Amino acid sequence: MVQARLEELNLPDILTFNDGNRVENKDMWPRRRAEIIQLLGSQVYGFSPPPPPDVYWNIESRDDMAFANKAVHSVVSLKFETPKGEFSFPVHLIIPKTTVPPPLFLNIAFRQNIPDIYLPVEEIIDQGFAIASFCYQDIVPDCDDGFVSGLADMYGAKNRKPDEWGKISMWAWAAQRVMDYLQKLDDIDKKRIAVVGHSRLGKTALWCAAQDQRFFMGISNNSGCSGAAISRGKKGERIKDIVNRFGYWFCENYSQYIDNEASMPFDQHFLIAAIAPRFVYVSSAAEDEWADPESEFLGCAAAYDAYKLFGLNGLIPGEKVPGTGDILHQGRIGYHLRTGSHYLSRYDWNQFIQYFRRWM
Ligand code: GCU
């Protein structure tokens, strides 16, 4: 049934180069992956500027006995040079007192709160994971302001070209700057960093992991339209809806696909495949019809061939589209469909942790 559904959708092939040649082996993948990033950059999210030469930071506060003396919680302000001078934003870093440097979740957050309804800090650190978290609104406000504030202003984005960054790209780029910083620390496992986000920030997390191979894993929760969900045949939110309400999340070129999905030389499985052969996790919620769990699942299933190139399994689906309560952790793409509505729950976090542990 899954196979039949995918065939019906007639998706562009991840393993066919733009010139029509086939990707025959894993050595050819980096070149195809670069094409995929190019496509998604120019047509969906918009290209970002190159990284700044370096990142710097100040430690604003440090609690050595945080969370019942189980962790060190610091707030650092991360700084770097931009065309209009220095830009800075706060990052929370919570490192459990483990015997070995812990793996880390880089959380792109809706709020600065530590903990937060979407970030059960104690449960995460108690299971041996560190957290770096920043609030997306500290990068650039989530509104259609003509790109005149925050990071957008620093890079003069109000004059952006049709293929230049929208705000999802800006948030993803900021997460990469946090990654730059994390690479300079000794008390975390720098090779095991997962970037995680919910909903609009789940779209952001996937785009971030797709572009930046330093990430061990990309995790998107309920990311839906223009995230993990295949756009062709999608229920709930469509490209038309998202561009009309949130056009500033994307580059201008994206609007040409409104009611015109069949003409896209890509679909969202390209985004997931661009993370291959690294790990991806996609989670859906049964009542989240706007995001459309089935299309999110199909995004994962359709990325399978990129992993197969490496002799690896991506998502291992059964014959049928998963039902509520199903958990698929056997391949390099993890997936679950939980009960309830659009939300980043403790259940989701616990699944991410189990999956992460399984593959460490
Ligand atoms: C809106 C939007 C979605 C998005 C969601 C969110 O519902 O249409 O695409 O994922 O907000 O970020 O919560």
Side-chain angles (χ1 to χ4, degrees), residues 91-127:
V91 180
H92 286 270
L93 188 65
I94 302 123
I95 304 187
K97 297 180 178 174
T98 46
T99 46
V100 288
L104 181 142
F105 288 105
L106 198 176
N107 180 49
I108 312 175
F110 279 95
R111 296 162 290 270
Q112 271 203 21
N113 304 350
I114 297 290
D116 182 74
I117 49 165
Y118 286 172
L119 188 65
V121 171
E122 263 193 274
E123 265 139 307
I124 298 169
I125 58 167
D126 284 351
Q127 299 191 68

PDB file of all heavy atoms in Angstrom, residues 91-127:
ATOM      1  N   VAL A  91      21.949  31.903  24.284  1.00  0.00           N
ATOM      2  CA  VAL A  91      21.804  30.451  24.159  1.00  0.00           C
ATOM      3  C   VAL A  91      21.875  29.845  25.556  1.00  0.00           C
ATOM      4  O   VAL A  91      22.778  30.184  26.335  1.00  0.00           O
ATOM      5  CB  VAL A  91      22.946  29.847  23.300  1.00  0.00           C
ATOM      6  CG1 VAL A  91      22.788  28.336  23.162  1.00  0.00           C
ATOM      7  CG2 VAL A  91      23.022  30.498  21.924  1.00  0.00           C
ATOM      8  N   HIS A  92      20.920  29.009  25.869  1.00  0.00           N
ATOM      9  CA  HIS A  92      20.974  28.247  27.131  1.00  0.00           C
ATOM     10  C   HIS A  92      21.719  26.951  26.883  1.00  0.00           C
ATOM     11  O   HIS A  92      21.436  26.248  25.905  1.00  0.00           O
ATOM     12  CB  HIS A  92      19.563  27.905  27.612  1.00  0.00           C
ATOM     13  CG  HIS A  92      18.831  29.069  28.176  1.00  0.00           C
ATOM     14  ND1 HIS A  92      18.889  29.391  29.514  1.00  0.00           N
ATOM     15  CD2 HIS A  92      18.036  29.994  27.584  1.00  0.00           C
ATOM     16  CE1 HIS A  92      18.139  30.465  29.728  1.00  0.00           C
ATOM     17  NE2 HIS A  92      17.614  30.859  28.579  1.00  0.00           N
ATOM     18  N   LEU A  93      22.623  26.631  27.802  1.00  0.00           N
ATOM     19  CA  LEU A  93      23.364  25.386  27.683  1.00  0.00           C
ATOM     20  C   LEU A  93      23.202  24.630  29.000  1.00  0.00           C
ATOM     21  O   LEU A  93      23.526  25.170  30.069  1.00  0.00           O
ATOM     22  CB  LEU A  93      24.840  25.716  27.416  1.00  0.00           C
ATOM     23  CG  LEU A  93      25.742  24.551  27.088  1.00  0.00           C
ATOM     24  CD1 LEU A  93      25.347  23.910  25.759  1.00  0.00           C
ATOM     25  CD2 LEU A  93      27.202  25.022  27.004  1.00  0.00           C
ATOM     26  N   ILE A  94      22.682  23.424  28.908  1.00  0.00           N
ATOM     27  CA  ILE A  94      22.470  22.621  30.116  1.00  0.00           C
ATOM     28  C   ILE A  94      23.213  21.304  29.934  1.00  0.00           C
ATOM     29  O   ILE A  94      22.878  20.515  29.032  1.00  0.00           O
ATOM     30  CB  ILE A  94      20.969  22.362  30.363  1.00  0.00           C
ATOM     31  CG1 ILE A  94      20.245  23.706  30.487  1.00  0.00           C
ATOM     32  CG2 ILE A  94      20.743  21.555  31.639  1.00  0.00           C
ATOM     33  CD1 ILE A  94      19.147  23.902  29.536  1.00  0.00           C
ATOM     34  N   ILE A  95      24.242  21.118  30.739  1.00  0.00           N
ATOM     35  CA  ILE A  95      25.082  19.922  30.576  1.00  0.00           C
ATOM     36  C   ILE A  95      24.983  19.057  31.834  1.00  0.00           C
ATOM     37  O   ILE A  95      25.356  19.495  32.924  1.00  0.00           O
ATOM     38  CB  ILE A  95      26.555  20.315  30.313  1.00  0.00           C
ATOM     39  CG1 ILE A  95      26.608  21.249  29.091  1.00  0.00           C
ATOM     40  CG2 ILE A  95      27.407  19.071  30.087  1.00  0.00           C
ATOM     41  CD1 ILE A  95      27.996  21.575  28.614  1.00  0.00           C
ATOM     42  N   PRO A  96      24.453  17.840  31.685  1.00  0.00           N
ATOM     43  CA  PRO A  96      24.341  16.969  32.853  1.00  0.00           C
ATOM     44  C   PRO A  96      25.722  16.529  33.340  1.00  0.00           C
ATOM     45  O   PRO A  96      26.672  16.472  32.547  1.00  0.00           O
ATOM     46  CB  PRO A  96      23.534  15.778  32.338  1.00  0.00           C
ATOM     47  CG  PRO A  96      23.763  15.751  30.873  1.00  0.00           C
ATOM     48  CD  PRO A  96      23.999  17.181  30.453  1.00  0.00           C
ATOM     49  N   LYS A  97      25.811  16.229  34.620  1.00  0.00           N
ATOM     50  CA  LYS A  97      27.104  15.822  35.187  1.00  0.00           C
ATOM     51  C   LYS A  97      27.310  14.326  34.966  1.00  0.00           C
ATOM     52  O   LYS A  97      27.210  13.520  35.895  1.00  0.00           O
ATOM     53  CB  LYS A  97      27.139  16.190  36.673  1.00  0.00           C
ATOM     54  CG  LYS A  97      27.048  17.696  36.886  1.00  0.00           C
ATOM     55  CD  LYS A  97      27.071  18.063  38.350  1.00  0.00           C
ATOM     56  CE  LYS A  97      27.030  19.580  38.508  1.00  0.00           C
ATOM     57  NZ  LYS A  97      26.905  20.000  39.912  1.00  0.00           N
ATOM     58  N   THR A  98      27.604  13.982  33.744  1.00  0.00           N
ATOM     59  CA  THR A  98      27.818  12.576  33.393  1.00  0.00           C
ATOM     60  C   THR A  98      29.321  12.301  33.395  1.00  0.00           C
ATOM     61  O   THR A  98      30.134  13.232  33.377  1.00  0.00           O
ATOM     62  CB  THR A  98      27.252  12.291  31.982  1.00  0.00           C
ATOM     63  OG1 THR A  98      27.677  13.337  31.106  1.00  0.00           O
ATOM     64  CG2 THR A  98      25.751  12.227  31.982  1.00  0.00           C
ATOM     65  N   THR A  99      29.684  11.025  33.366  1.00  0.00           N
ATOM     66  CA  THR A  99      31.111  10.692  33.393  1.00  0.00           C
ATOM     67  C   THR A  99      31.765  10.878  32.028  1.00  0.00           C
ATOM     68  O   THR A  99      32.952  11.153  31.938  1.00  0.00           O
ATOM     69  CB  THR A  99      31.323   9.239  33.875  1.00  0.00           C
ATOM     70  OG1 THR A  99      30.394   8.428  33.175  1.00  0.00           O
ATOM     71  CG2 THR A  99      31.124   9.119  35.369  1.00  0.00           C
ATOM     72  N   VAL A 100      30.984  10.713  30.981  1.00  0.00           N
ATOM     73  CA  VAL A 100      31.524  10.950  29.638  1.00  0.00           C
ATOM     74  C   VAL A 100      30.811  12.151  29.024  1.00  0.00           C
ATOM     75  O   VAL A 100      29.676  12.454  29.381  1.00  0.00           O
ATOM     76  CB  VAL A 100      31.320   9.725  28.701  1.00  0.00           C
ATOM     77  CG1 VAL A 100      32.242   8.585  29.093  1.00  0.00           C
ATOM     78  CG2 VAL A 100      29.875   9.274  28.685  1.00  0.00           C
ATOM     79  N   PRO A 101      31.477  12.858  28.094  1.00  0.00           N
ATOM     80  CA  PRO A 101      30.813  14.000  27.456  1.00  0.00           C
ATOM     81  C   PRO A 101      29.492  13.559  26.806  1.00  0.00           C
ATOM     82  O   PRO A 101      29.483  12.633  25.993  1.00  0.00           O
ATOM     83  CB  PRO A 101      31.824  14.464  26.402  1.00  0.00           C
ATOM     84  CG  PRO A 101      33.148  13.969  26.899  1.00  0.00           C
ATOM     85  CD  PRO A 101      32.850  12.667  27.600  1.00  0.00           C
ATOM     86  N   PRO A 102      28.405  14.182  27.163  1.00  0.00           N
ATOM     87  CA  PRO A 102      27.093  13.723  26.693  1.00  0.00           C
ATOM     88  C   PRO A 102      26.763  14.179  25.271  1.00  0.00           C
ATOM     89  O   PRO A 102      27.214  15.236  24.826  1.00  0.00           O
ATOM     90  CB  PRO A 102      26.127  14.370  27.683  1.00  0.00           C
ATOM     91  CG  PRO A 102      26.826  15.611  28.133  1.00  0.00           C
ATOM     92  CD  PRO A 102      28.299  15.308  28.112  1.00  0.00           C
ATOM     93  N   PRO A 103      25.944  13.382  24.577  1.00  0.00           N
ATOM     94  CA  PRO A 103      25.371  13.839  23.301  1.00  0.00           C
ATOM     95  C   PRO A 103      24.420  14.995  23.578  1.00  0.00           C
ATOM     96  O   PRO A 103      24.033  15.201  24.732  1.00  0.00           O
ATOM     97  CB  PRO A 103      24.605  12.617  22.791  1.00  0.00           C
ATOM     98  CG  PRO A 103      24.308  11.815  24.015  1.00  0.00           C
ATOM     99  CD  PRO A 103      25.417  12.080  24.981  1.00  0.00           C
ATOM    100  N   LEU A 104      24.060  15.719  22.547  1.00  0.00           N
ATOM    101  CA  LEU A 104      23.332  16.964  22.797  1.00  0.00           C
ATOM    102  C   LEU A 104      22.172  17.180  21.821  1.00  0.00           C
ATOM    103  O   LEU A 104      22.273  16.846  20.637  1.00  0.00           O
ATOM    104  CB  LEU A 104      24.324  18.121  22.700  1.00  0.00           C
ATOM    105  CG  LEU A 104      23.820  19.539  22.936  1.00  0.00           C
ATOM    106  CD1 LEU A 104      24.847  20.367  23.710  1.00  0.00           C
ATOM    107  CD2 LEU A 104      23.495  20.267  21.623  1.00  0.00           C
ATOM    108  N   PHE A 105      21.099  17.735  22.353  1.00  0.00           N
ATOM    109  CA  PHE A 105      19.994  18.215  21.522  1.00  0.00           C
ATOM    110  C   PHE A 105      20.144  19.722  21.354  1.00  0.00           C
ATOM    111  O   PHE A 105      20.143  20.450  22.346  1.00  0.00           O
ATOM    112  CB  PHE A 105      18.642  17.943  22.186  1.00  0.00           C
ATOM    113  CG  PHE A 105      18.236  16.500  22.190  1.00  0.00           C
ATOM    114  CD1 PHE A 105      18.302  15.742  23.360  1.00  0.00           C
ATOM    115  CD2 PHE A 105      17.782  15.883  21.033  1.00  0.00           C
ATOM    116  CE1 PHE A 105      17.915  14.413  23.375  1.00  0.00           C
ATOM    117  CE2 PHE A 105      17.389  14.545  21.030  1.00  0.00           C
ATOM    118  CZ  PHE A 105      17.454  13.813  22.207  1.00  0.00           C
ATOM    119  N   LEU A 106      20.268  20.156  20.116  1.00  0.00           N
ATOM    120  CA  LEU A 106      20.264  21.596  19.843  1.00  0.00           C
ATOM    121  C   LEU A 106      18.818  21.969  19.507  1.00  0.00           C
ATOM    122  O   LEU A 106      18.309  21.612  18.437  1.00  0.00           O
ATOM    123  CB  LEU A 106      21.205  21.914  18.677  1.00  0.00           C
ATOM    124  CG  LEU A 106      21.670  23.359  18.492  1.00  0.00           C
ATOM    125  CD1 LEU A 106      22.671  23.441  17.361  1.00  0.00           C
ATOM    126  CD2 LEU A 106      20.586  24.353  18.284  1.00  0.00           C
ATOM    127  N   ASN A 107      18.177  22.622  20.448  1.00  0.00           N
ATOM    128  CA  ASN A 107      16.748  22.872  20.361  1.00  0.00           C
ATOM    129  C   ASN A 107      16.470  24.276  19.834  1.00  0.00           C
ATOM    130  O   ASN A 107      16.903  25.267  20.417  1.00  0.00           O
ATOM    131  CB  ASN A 107      16.153  22.707  21.769  1.00  0.00           C
ATOM    132  CG  ASN A 107      14.666  22.933  21.807  1.00  0.00           C
ATOM    133  OD1 ASN A 107      13.931  22.378  20.997  1.00  0.00           O
ATOM    134  ND2 ASN A 107      14.221  23.746  22.743  1.00  0.00           N
ATOM    135  N   ILE A 108      15.745  24.336  18.728  1.00  0.00           N
ATOM    136  CA  ILE A 108      15.316  25.633  18.193  1.00  0.00           C
ATOM    137  C   ILE A 108      13.942  25.880  18.823  1.00  0.00           C
ATOM    138  O   ILE A 108      12.986  25.158  18.530  1.00  0.00           O
ATOM    139  CB  ILE A 108      15.235  25.631  16.658  1.00  0.00           C
ATOM    140  CG1 ILE A 108      16.516  25.021  16.062  1.00  0.00           C
ATOM    141  CG2 ILE A 108      15.009  27.040  16.130  1.00  0.00           C
ATOM    142  CD1 ILE A 108      16.470  24.870  14.544  1.00  0.00           C
ATOM    143  N   ALA A 109      13.885  26.892  19.696  1.00  0.00           N
ATOM    144  CA  ALA A 109      12.732  26.996  20.594  1.00  0.00           C
ATOM    145  C   ALA A 109      11.796  28.143  20.241  1.00  0.00           C
ATOM    146  O   ALA A 109      12.209  29.159  19.680  1.00  0.00           O
ATOM    147  CB  ALA A 109      13.237  27.178  22.031  1.00  0.00           C
ATOM    148  N   PHE A 110      10.532  27.962  20.620  1.00  0.00           N
ATOM    149  CA  PHE A 110       9.561  29.043  20.476  1.00  0.00           C
ATOM    150  C   PHE A 110       9.755  30.099  21.558  1.00  0.00           C
ATOM    151  O   PHE A 110       9.429  31.257  21.371  1.00  0.00           O
ATOM    152  CB  PHE A 110       8.129  28.494  20.556  1.00  0.00           C
ATOM    153  CG  PHE A 110       7.664  27.895  19.256  1.00  0.00           C
ATOM    154  CD1 PHE A 110       7.776  26.537  19.015  1.00  0.00           C
ATOM    155  CD2 PHE A 110       7.129  28.695  18.264  1.00  0.00           C
ATOM    156  CE1 PHE A 110       7.357  25.989  17.810  1.00  0.00           C
ATOM    157  CE2 PHE A 110       6.704  28.164  17.053  1.00  0.00           C
ATOM    158  CZ  PHE A 110       6.819  26.808  16.830  1.00  0.00           C
ATOM    159  N   ARG A 111      10.230  29.642  22.719  1.00  0.00           N
ATOM    160  CA  ARG A 111      10.386  30.550  23.860  1.00  0.00           C
ATOM    161  C   ARG A 111      11.735  30.327  24.531  1.00  0.00           C
ATOM    162  O   ARG A 111      12.318  29.266  24.385  1.00  0.00           O
ATOM    163  CB  ARG A 111       9.266  30.277  24.887  1.00  0.00           C
ATOM    164  CG  ARG A 111       7.872  30.572  24.373  1.00  0.00           C
ATOM    165  CD  ARG A 111       6.801  29.895  25.222  1.00  0.00           C
ATOM    166  NE  ARG A 111       6.826  28.445  25.023  1.00  0.00           N
ATOM    167  CZ  ARG A 111       6.111  27.801  24.094  1.00  0.00           C
ATOM    168  NH1 ARG A 111       5.308  28.455  23.295  1.00  0.00           N
ATOM    169  NH2 ARG A 111       6.203  26.483  23.965  1.00  0.00           N
ATOM    170  N   GLN A 112      12.152  31.314  25.300  1.00  0.00           N
ATOM    171  CA  GLN A 112      13.422  31.180  26.033  1.00  0.00           C
ATOM    172  C   GLN A 112      13.297  30.312  27.279  1.00  0.00           C
ATOM    173  O   GLN A 112      14.315  29.949  27.876  1.00  0.00           O
ATOM    174  CB  GLN A 112      13.903  32.572  26.455  1.00  0.00           C
ATOM    175  CG  GLN A 112      14.770  33.257  25.430  1.00  0.00           C
ATOM    176  CD  GLN A 112      15.658  34.311  26.082  1.00  0.00           C
ATOM    177  OE1 GLN A 112      15.910  34.276  27.288  1.00  0.00           O
ATOM    178  NE2 GLN A 112      16.119  35.249  25.292  1.00  0.00           N
ATOM    179  N   ASN A 113      12.084  30.000  27.704  1.00  0.00           N
ATOM    180  CA  ASN A 113      11.862  29.287  28.981  1.00  0.00           C
ATOM    181  C   ASN A 113      12.709  28.030  29.142  1.00  0.00           C
ATOM    182  O   ASN A 113      12.785  27.208  28.246  1.00  0.00           O
ATOM    183  CB  ASN A 113      10.404  28.808  29.084  1.00  0.00           C
ATOM    184  CG  ASN A 113       9.412  29.927  28.937  1.00  0.00           C
ATOM    185  OD1 ASN A 113       9.783  31.092  28.933  1.00  0.00           O
ATOM    186  ND2 ASN A 113       8.147  29.559  28.802  1.00  0.00           N
ATOM    187  N   ILE A 114      13.295  27.899  30.298  1.00  0.00           N
ATOM    188  CA  ILE A 114      14.006  26.675  30.672  1.00  0.00           C
ATOM    189  C   ILE A 114      13.505  26.260  32.048  1.00  0.00           C
ATOM    190  O   ILE A 114      13.757  26.986  33.012  1.00  0.00           O
ATOM    191  CB  ILE A 114      15.529  26.905  30.761  1.00  0.00           C
ATOM    192  CG1 ILE A 114      16.110  27.316  29.399  1.00  0.00           C
ATOM    193  CG2 ILE A 114      16.247  25.667  31.299  1.00  0.00           C
ATOM    194  CD1 ILE A 114      16.120  26.222  28.345  1.00  0.00           C
ATOM    195  N   PRO A 115      12.770  25.168  32.194  1.00  0.00           N
ATOM    196  CA  PRO A 115      12.217  24.337  31.131  1.00  0.00           C
ATOM    197  C   PRO A 115      11.022  25.016  30.480  1.00  0.00           C
ATOM    198  O   PRO A 115      10.637  26.114  30.862  1.00  0.00           O
ATOM    199  CB  PRO A 115      11.793  23.070  31.875  1.00  0.00           C
ATOM    200  CG  PRO A 115      11.490  23.525  33.262  1.00  0.00           C
ATOM    201  CD  PRO A 115      12.399  24.688  33.542  1.00  0.00           C
ATOM    202  N   ASP A 116      10.458  24.329  29.502  1.00  0.00           N
ATOM    203  CA  ASP A 116       9.327  24.874  28.753  1.00  0.00           C
ATOM    204  C   ASP A 116       8.341  23.723  28.517  1.00  0.00           C
ATOM    205  O   ASP A 116       8.738  22.559  28.595  1.00  0.00           O
ATOM    206  CB  ASP A 116       9.854  25.416  27.407  1.00  0.00           C
ATOM    207  CG  ASP A 116       8.773  26.048  26.555  1.00  0.00           C
ATOM    208  OD1 ASP A 116       8.336  27.164  26.887  1.00  0.00           O
ATOM    209  OD2 ASP A 116       8.344  25.422  25.562  1.00  0.00           O
ATOM    210  N   ILE A 117       7.102  24.058  28.208  1.00  0.00           N
ATOM    211  CA  ILE A 117       6.150  22.964  27.925  1.00  0.00           C
ATOM    212  C   ILE A 117       6.658  22.090  26.768  1.00  0.00           C
ATOM    213  O   ILE A 117       6.340  20.914  26.704  1.00  0.00           O
ATOM    214  CB  ILE A 117       4.718  23.471  27.603  1.00  0.00           C
ATOM    215  CG1 ILE A 117       4.736  24.577  26.547  1.00  0.00           C
ATOM    216  CG2 ILE A 117       4.022  23.941  28.880  1.00  0.00           C
ATOM    217  CD1 ILE A 117       3.368  24.856  25.943  1.00  0.00           C
ATOM    218  N   TYR A 118       7.436  22.667  25.871  1.00  0.00           N
ATOM    219  CA  TYR A 118       7.985  21.880  24.765  1.00  0.00           C
ATOM    220  C   TYR A 118       9.404  21.362  25.059  1.00  0.00           C
ATOM    221  O   TYR A 118      10.027  20.766  24.178  1.00  0.00           O
ATOM    222  CB  TYR A 118       8.078  22.737  23.490  1.00  0.00           C
ATOM    223  CG  TYR A 118       6.776  23.029  22.789  1.00  0.00           C
ATOM    224  CD1 TYR A 118       6.747  23.939  21.724  1.00  0.00           C
ATOM    225  CD2 TYR A 118       5.586  22.404  23.144  1.00  0.00           C
ATOM    226  CE1 TYR A 118       5.576  24.221  21.050  1.00  0.00           C
ATOM    227  CE2 TYR A 118       4.396  22.692  22.476  1.00  0.00           C
ATOM    228  CZ  TYR A 118       4.392  23.596  21.430  1.00  0.00           C
ATOM    229  OH  TYR A 118       3.244  23.879  20.747  1.00  0.00           O
ATOM    230  N   LEU A 119       9.917  21.629  26.243  1.00  0.00           N
ATOM    231  CA  LEU A 119      11.295  21.210  26.540  1.00  0.00           C
ATOM    232  C   LEU A 119      11.403  20.709  27.987  1.00  0.00           C
ATOM    233  O   LEU A 119      11.719  21.475  28.910  1.00  0.00           O
ATOM    234  CB  LEU A 119      12.264  22.385  26.303  1.00  0.00           C
ATOM    235  CG  LEU A 119      13.760  22.061  26.387  1.00  0.00           C
ATOM    236  CD1 LEU A 119      14.198  21.116  25.282  1.00  0.00           C
ATOM    237  CD2 LEU A 119      14.595  23.346  26.337  1.00  0.00           C
ATOM    238  N   PRO A 120      11.133  19.421  28.199  1.00  0.00           N
ATOM    239  CA  PRO A 120      11.193  18.835  29.538  1.00  0.00           C
ATOM    240  C   PRO A 120      12.645  18.578  29.950  1.00  0.00           C
ATOM    241  O   PRO A 120      13.154  17.454  29.864  1.00  0.00           O
ATOM    242  CB  PRO A 120      10.401  17.533  29.395  1.00  0.00           C
ATOM    243  CG  PRO A 120      10.544  17.153  27.958  1.00  0.00           C
ATOM    244  CD  PRO A 120      10.735  18.429  27.173  1.00  0.00           C
ATOM    245  N   VAL A 121      13.296  19.621  30.398  1.00  0.00           N
ATOM    246  CA  VAL A 121      14.745  19.596  30.608  1.00  0.00           C
ATOM    247  C   VAL A 121      15.183  18.447  31.514  1.00  0.00           C
ATOM    248  O   VAL A 121      16.114  17.709  31.192  1.00  0.00           O
ATOM    249  CB  VAL A 121      15.221  20.949  31.194  1.00  0.00           C
ATOM    250  CG1 VAL A 121      16.675  20.880  31.616  1.00  0.00           C
ATOM    251  CG2 VAL A 121      15.018  22.060  30.166  1.00  0.00           C
ATOM    252  N   GLU A 122      14.486  18.287  32.658  1.00  0.00           N
ATOM    253  CA  GLU A 122      14.948  17.261  33.606  1.00  0.00           C
ATOM    254  C   GLU A 122      14.899  15.859  33.021  1.00  0.00           C
ATOM    255  O   GLU A 122      15.825  15.062  33.197  1.00  0.00           O
ATOM    256  CB  GLU A 122      14.096  17.317  34.864  1.00  0.00           C
ATOM    257  CG  GLU A 122      14.764  18.123  35.948  1.00  0.00           C
ATOM    258  CD  GLU A 122      14.079  17.911  37.270  1.00  0.00           C
ATOM    259  OE1 GLU A 122      13.100  18.625  37.518  1.00  0.00           O
ATOM    260  OE2 GLU A 122      14.525  17.038  38.027  1.00  0.00           O
ATOM    261  N   GLU A 123      13.809  15.562  32.313  1.00  0.00           N
ATOM    262  CA  GLU A 123      13.716  14.231  31.708  1.00  0.00           C
ATOM    263  C   GLU A 123      14.857  14.000  30.708  1.00  0.00           C
ATOM    264  O   GLU A 123      15.364  12.898  30.574  1.00  0.00           O
ATOM    265  CB  GLU A 123      12.378  14.088  30.967  1.00  0.00           C
ATOM    266  CG  GLU A 123      11.333  13.441  31.832  1.00  0.00           C
ATOM    267  CD  GLU A 123       9.975  14.093  31.680  1.00  0.00           C
ATOM    268  OE1 GLU A 123       9.903  15.332  31.841  1.00  0.00           O
ATOM    269  OE2 GLU A 123       9.012  13.367  31.407  1.00  0.00           O
ATOM    270  N   ILE A 124      15.231  15.055  30.029  1.00  0.00           N
ATOM    271  CA  ILE A 124      16.279  14.915  29.007  1.00  0.00           C
ATOM    272  C   ILE A 124      17.652  14.734  29.672  1.00  0.00           C
ATOM    273  O   ILE A 124      18.398  13.808  29.338  1.00  0.00           O
ATOM    274  CB  ILE A 124      16.256  16.128  28.051  1.00  0.00           C
ATOM    275  CG1 ILE A 124      14.903  16.187  27.319  1.00  0.00           C
ATOM    276  CG2 ILE A 124      17.411  16.059  27.054  1.00  0.00           C
ATOM    277  CD1 ILE A 124      14.649  17.483  26.551  1.00  0.00           C
ATOM    278  N   ILE A 125      17.969  15.585  30.634  1.00  0.00           N
ATOM    279  CA  ILE A 125      19.296  15.459  31.259  1.00  0.00           C
ATOM    280  C   ILE A 125      19.404  14.180  32.087  1.00  0.00           C
ATOM    281  O   ILE A 125      20.455  13.559  32.145  1.00  0.00           O
ATOM    282  CB  ILE A 125      19.699  16.697  32.114  1.00  0.00           C
ATOM    283  CG1 ILE A 125      18.694  16.958  33.223  1.00  0.00           C
ATOM    284  CG2 ILE A 125      19.904  17.933  31.241  1.00  0.00           C
ATOM    285  CD1 ILE A 125      19.180  17.949  34.272  1.00  0.00           C
ATOM    286  N   ASP A 126      18.289  13.771  32.704  1.00  0.00           N
ATOM    287  CA  ASP A 126      18.320  12.533  33.503  1.00  0.00           C
ATOM    288  C   ASP A 126      18.640  11.321  32.640  1.00  0.00           C
ATOM    289  O   ASP A 126      19.082  10.295  33.145  1.00  0.00           O
ATOM    290  CB  ASP A 126      16.979  12.312  34.210  1.00  0.00           C
ATOM    291  CG  ASP A 126      16.823  13.225  35.424  1.00  0.00           C
ATOM    292  OD1 ASP A 126      17.816  13.890  35.806  1.00  0.00           O
ATOM    293  OD2 ASP A 126      15.709  13.288  35.981  1.00  0.00           O
ATOM    294  N   GLN A 127      18.391  11.439  31.351  1.00  0.00           N
ATOM    295  CA  GLN A 127      18.706  10.317  30.454  1.00  0.00           C
ATOM    296  C   GLN A 127      20.054  10.520  29.768  1.00  0.00           C
ATOM    297  O   GLN A 127      20.389   9.836  28.801  1.00  0.00           O
ATOM    298  CB  GLN A 127      17.576  10.129  29.460  1.00  0.00           C
ATOM    299  CG  GLN A 127      16.279   9.804  30.214  1.00  0.00           C
ATOM    300  CD  GLN A 127      15.159   9.352  29.306  1.00  0.00           C
ATOM    301  OE1 GLN A 127      15.226   8.288  28.723  1.00  0.00           O
ATOM    302  NE2 GLN A 127      14.136  10.174  29.175  1.00  0.00           N
TER     303      GLN A 127
END
